[in-house]
Structures are given as C-alpha cells and as structure tokens.
Amino acid sequence: MRGSSGASLTAAQERFEPVLRAAGADALTLGEQLLTLVSALDDSAALRRSLADPSREGEAKAGLVAGLLGGFDERVVDLVSGLARARWASDADLTDAVERLGVDAVLASAEARGTLETVEDELFRLSRSLVGQREAKQVLSDASTAPERRVALVDALVGGKVDTVTQRLAQRATSSLRGRRFVQTIGWFGEVAAERRQRLVAAVTSATMLTREQEERLGAILERSYGKPVQLNVTVDPTVVGGLRIQVGADVVDSTVLSRLADASRRLAG
C-alpha cells in the first residue's frame, strides 16, 4: 500500500498502538470486531465506496460509521471513524487497512499474554504441515466449499493443539479468503507477527536439513545485511535449484547472492 493510502494506514497504526497496549488481552475483541467489518465491506461495494469517497465530508463519513457500528466497542468506532476521514487511493485500500489493523489487534492480544512468539511459530508450522497435503490445501482455499466445512477442517488440524490466537487466525484465513490462498494468508499473518516482534521473516527452502550451526551462520549473514533481527522459517525441498532459496519480503536470495553477502560481511569484519 503506497501513496496516500500507505500514509493513512501508518497514521492509523500509530494512533491505534497505544490503544492496543492498554487493551491487553482484550485486544482480541477489538480485532475480531474489525475483521467482522472487513467481511461487511467485502460484501458491499456501495458501503466501501461511501466510506472511501473523497468527495464526501469526513464528518459525514464518520457519522455513517457511528450508525453502522452500533454495538461495537467505542475504540473500534473511533478508529474506523478516523479511517473514514482519511484519504484512500481506492476503496479496496480502505478495506485492506481495516484488515491489517484487525490482524494487528488479534496478535496484540497474544503479545499481551506473552505468547506472540509461540503464535508466530505455530503459524509457520501449520503452513509447513500442509506441504504435500494437496487435497487439504485445495479445500481450505476453495471459495466454492462452504465456509463452515473449511473452518471445520482447520479445527480438525489445530483444535486443542495451538494457542487460541493461532486457531482464530487460521479460521479467519479460510473463512474469509479475500482472493488469497489459505497458506498465503497464514504466511502473511506470520509476517505481521514477526513485524510486531520487530523481526524480519526469511522463508528458507533448502535441499537438505540445515544444522544448527548453518542456521546460526545464515541468520547472522542476513541480520548484517538487513540491519535487524531475522526469523528463519526453514523448509526442506530436495528439488530446490542451487540447493538453497531464501525470501525476505519481496527479496529473493539464492546461494550465489548469499555467498556474495557472506564475502562482503567478512571483508567488513576484517
């Protein structure tokens, strides 16, 4: 999200973060209410246009929010009213911003309970557990399959085995596909969790299992390169070209580039 939409989202996050810290574990309720609103916006193009319309006065749009969200937590109403007053490049950007803030809130509830790192790890493990499970992945991402059936499959996979926040996010990833595949959404949730922990996520695909020493060395190289802590999520795939593939955000690093980074790091250290 760039331009006016990116600036509007950043400003909203800055305003909302103190609210989430004060809410503690109750941030889960705020997040679920925001995600409920995302579903309503996805279902109504007219509503999206009304809230994002730059030709309408901000206060008029805030009044529409107040009427629409009767019964919602006042902290959610205040946040969404601010979003309605802001400028958005498209109505889809407004909906995406509400989703991001909702996910932030759900994860903040885990952070308040001291389980954010656990949730991040469980999201990755859930994604990895579906490798080779073609039928399960297809069902979880199939918009023609009843949402109730998709959620039931998620519950069968993780019910009673993971943190409550992990299960809620997994249920959300399949019940509200929003044009994405289930594993893609789970990966995004993990990236947001890592961002809250002020870490980058490196998705590492290796032809063979990495030793602890290799993981530590790889992590050190990437941390020096990006200037911040990096969480390694390692998957083994014997078919990977070059023996190693690393993706950090939009950056894709193969073994050749990694070798150059390591050489540069050694030169700087020497």
Side-chain angles (χ1 to χ4, degrees), residues 9-28:
L9 173 58
T10 299
Q13 288 175 307
E14 291 174 351
R15 292 195 306 272
F16 198 38
E17 195 58 36
V19 175
L20 294 179
R21 287 198 295 270
D26 191 41
L28 179 62

Side-chain angles (χ1 to χ4, degrees), residues 33-85:
Q33 289 185 359
L34 286 166
L35 294 175
T36 297
L37 175 59
V38 170
S39 297
L41 292 170
D42 281 340
D43 289 341
S44 176
L47 178 59
R48 293 196 304 272
R49 288 194 296 269
S50 295
L51 293 180
D53 185 355
S55 68
R56 296 187 66 179
E57 290 292 331
E59 290 307 314
K61 292 188 286 186
L64 175 61
V65 168
L68 174 69
L69 301 185
F72 276 50
D73 191 287
E74 63 181 12
R75 292 165 291 185
V76 171
V77 177
D78 182 64
L79 173 68
V80 179
S81 296
L83 293 174
R85 294 187 187 97

Side-chain angles (χ1 to χ4, degrees), residues 16-17 20 24-32 35 99-121 123 163-170 185-197:
F16 198 38
E17 195 58 36
L20 294 179
D26 191 41
L28 179 62
T29 299
L30 306 185
E32 290 185 329
L35 294 175
E99 181 184 34
R100 171 56 197 258
L101 291 162
V103 173
D104 271 331
V106 172
L107 289 168
S109 72
E111 188 173 16
R113 292 187 289 106
T115 62
L116 182 58
E117 183 176 359
T118 297
V119 169
E120 181 187 346
D121 182 64
L123 290 169
D163 187 272
T164 300
V165 164
T166 304
Q167 185 165 354
R168 297 285 183 88
L169 288 174
T185 302
I186 289 295
W188 176 55
F189 290 161
E191 290 173 2
V192 177
E195 187 175 324
R196 289 198 67 82
R197 296 178 59 225

Side-chain angles (χ1 to χ4, degrees), residues 78-95:
D78 182 64
L79 173 68
V80 179
S81 296
L83 293 174
R85 294 187 187 97
R87 295 192 65 83
W88 303 94
S90 69
D91 53 30
D93 281 354
L94 171 59
T95 307

Side-chain angles (χ1 to χ4, degrees), residues 104-143:
D104 271 331
V106 172
L107 289 168
S109 72
E111 188 173 16
R113 292 187 289 106
T115 62
L116 182 58
E117 183 176 359
T118 297
V119 169
E120 181 187 346
D121 182 64
E122 288 173 345
L123 290 169
F124 169 65
R125 292 181 183 278
L126 171 58
S127 176
R128 189 168 62 177
S129 72
L130 291 171
V131 173
Q133 302 295 320
R134 181 178 179 182
E135 183 177 349
K137 287 194 294 184
Q138 183 175 348
V139 171
L140 292 170
S141 302
D142 183 7

Side-chain angles (χ1 to χ4, degrees), residues 12 22 48 87 116 150 214 235 257:
R48 293 196 304 272
R87 295 192 65 83
L116 182 58
R150 301 198 303 265
Q214 287 173 323
T235 301
V257 175

